Amino acid sequence: MKNTRVITQGALMLAIFTVLLLMVLYVPFLGTVAFFVLPLPLIFFSASHSIANSLYVLLGAMLLSFLVGGPVALPLGLAFGSLALVMGWGIRNKWDKLRIFLSSTFILLINIVIGFVLSIAFFNINIVEDSLKESKTTYYLLLEQVGQEQDQRIIDSLNSSIQLIQTLMPALFLGMAAIGALLIIVINFPILKRLGIPVPVFKPFREWMLPKSILWYYLLVLVVSMIAQPEEGTYLYTAILNVLYVLQTLMAVQGLSFLYFFAHYKGWSKGILVGITIISFPLLYIVRILGIIDLGFNLRERLQRKS
């Protein structure tokens, strides 16, 4: 009886997944909406059943992806299926939301890298490089259409930007994975809660605190970059630059979290919080310094002791 119920629910969730996948592949506008809820039925199943049964459903999702969309859709089924498996397993085992987010980011990152490598190996398509070349060509055509000559300084700046983006591809992939995991959690967890799945919640953003070890890693990478001074294009240069950008982003998040804490401490309105968020983007350097100070000198504890 129990096995029949599991099989029935698994088949139902796969049917819903297939409908959503068809919308993603063939319905332009609704497909964009369906894309973010595509893992929902698989998360629901994984959160309710054992890992063994969830693996069977994952294999079914991959098979159906191949049948309805061909080889192009197979990576999509693998990515969302494995992501749903991890999220569902985390919910079932009562992980906190941060642990689910980090695990999901890791799984998405692996899938992005696999997809990128396979697209080059089997289809000879480098999505990042091809997009950058197309943007460069479009810029040149635009100059020709308006009758302007190519400014060598602008061309050099454009080439430098393209080179930087190519160098920062690992960090960009990590950022894409983190944003993707966060969006899927934010969109799907409230729906799962309405469906009766006990999902965890994030702490308020003002209470987010990075481990102090992150600060030491940041300082260590800065020191190594100043001492080694690697040449552009080397593996060491690429590694240091990517790690540095990731750590700088984390410091900016820490700084913005402190600003939210300070706004709550002062009793500022939500309108001011929105203004702080908007202003922080062009002032990320200052926000990052604030994050370093907060992490190193416990600014929040000092403020709370004064009150």
Side-chain angles (χ1 to χ4, degrees):
M1 183 70 178
K2 186 177 179 181
N3 288 338
T4 303
R5 178 175 170 273
V6 172
I7 292 171
T8 302
Q9 193 174 78
L12 177 61
M13 294 301 107
L14 285 174
I16 297 172
F17 173 81
T18 305
V19 171
L20 291 172
L21 181 61
L22 287 168
M23 291 172 65
V24 170
L25 294 174
Y26 303 112
V27 185
F29 176 73
L30 289 177
T32 304
V33 178
F35 179 83
F36 291 102
V37 294
L38 183 59
L40 179 63
L42 305 184
I43 298 173
F44 180 87
F45 184 88
S46 298
S48 309
H49 299 284
S50 67
I51 188 69
N53 290 326
S54 300
L55 283 171
Y56 286 127
V57 170
L58 169 60
L59 292 174
M62 292 173 60
L63 177 61
L64 288 169
S65 298
F66 181 77
L67 292 176
V68 302
V72 177
L74 183 59
L76 198 62
L78 174 61
F80 281 100
S82 56
L83 176 66
L85 185 68
V86 170
M87 284 187 173
W89 177 252
I91 293 170
R92 181 177 172 82
N93 288 276
K94 302 188 185 306
W95 291 356
D96 62 78
K97 207 166 189 177
L98 180 60
R99 186 178 178 186
I100 293 176
F101 167 66
L102 294 176
S103 302
S104 302
T105 298
F106 179 69
I107 291 296
L108 271 183
L109 178 61
I110 291 176
N111 279 286
I112 289 172
V113 172
I114 290 174
F116 179 73
V117 172
L118 291 179
S119 68
I120 295 175
F122 291 99
F123 302 104
N124 198 27
I125 298 174
N126 187 326
I127 298 174
V128 176
E129 189 174 325
D130 292 346
S131 299
L132 292 173
K133 286 181 179 178
E134 186 176 343
S135 299
K136 189 176 179 180
T137 303
T138 303
Y139 170 74
Y140 290 153
L141 289 175
L142 183 62
L143 286 179
E144 290 180 4
Q145 289 175 0
V146 298
Q148 291 186 0
E149 295 183 359
Q150 297 179 2
D151 190 328
Q152 189 60 43
R153 289 175 299 178
I154 297 178
I155 293 174
D156 292 341
S157 176
L158 181 62
N159 289 331
S160 298
S161 299
I162 291 174
Q163 183 63 41
L164 179 62
I165 291 172
Q166 291 174 330
T167 303
L168 289 174
M169 276 174 52
L172 293 174
F173 284 166
L174 178 59
M176 289 168 56
I179 293 171
L182 184 61
L183 285 174
I184 288 170
I185 287 174
V186 168
I187 293 170
N188 290 276
F189 274 34
I191 303 175
L192 288 168
K193 188 176 181 180
R194 285 184 172 273
L195 295 173
I197 302 296
V199 296
V201 296
F202 278 127
K203 291 181 179 179
F205 183 58
R206 64 178 181 273
E207 296 180 13
W208 286 22
M209 282 289 294
L210 295 172
K212 284 190 178 292
S213 57
I214 297 293
L215 178 59
W216 293 110
Y217 295 147
Y218 182 58
L219 295 175
L220 178 62
V221 173
L222 283 177
V223 171
V224 170
S225 64
M226 288 187 292
I227 294 174
Q229 294 185 348
E231 293 184 9
E232 187 173 343
T234 62
Y235 287 113
L236 182 59
Y237 174 84
T238 301
I240 288 176
L241 193 63
N242 278 274
V243 173
L244 197 57
Y245 266 74
V246 171
L247 292 173
Q248 285 176 342
T249 301
L250 291 175
M251 289 302 165
V253 171
Q254 176 75 26
L256 188 59
S257 173
F258 173 77
L259 288 174
Y260 271 61
F261 169 83
F262 189 75
H264 179 76
Y265 174 77
K266 290 293 186 179
W268 293 347
S269 67
K270 290 184 178 180
I272 296 177
L273 281 176
V274 173
I276 288 174
T277 305
I278 295 172
I279 293 172
S280 67
F281 285 102
L283 300 175
L284 275 181
Y285 183 77
I286 297 174
V287 175
R288 189 162 60 238
I289 292 175
L290 186 60
I292 293 171
I293 297 172
D294 177 38
L295 199 58
F297 297 97
N298 295 321
L299 290 183
R300 304 180 200 205
E301 291 183 11
R302 292 173 186 270
L303 283 174
Q304 289 173 332
R305 283 200 298 264
K306 287 180 180 180
S307 59

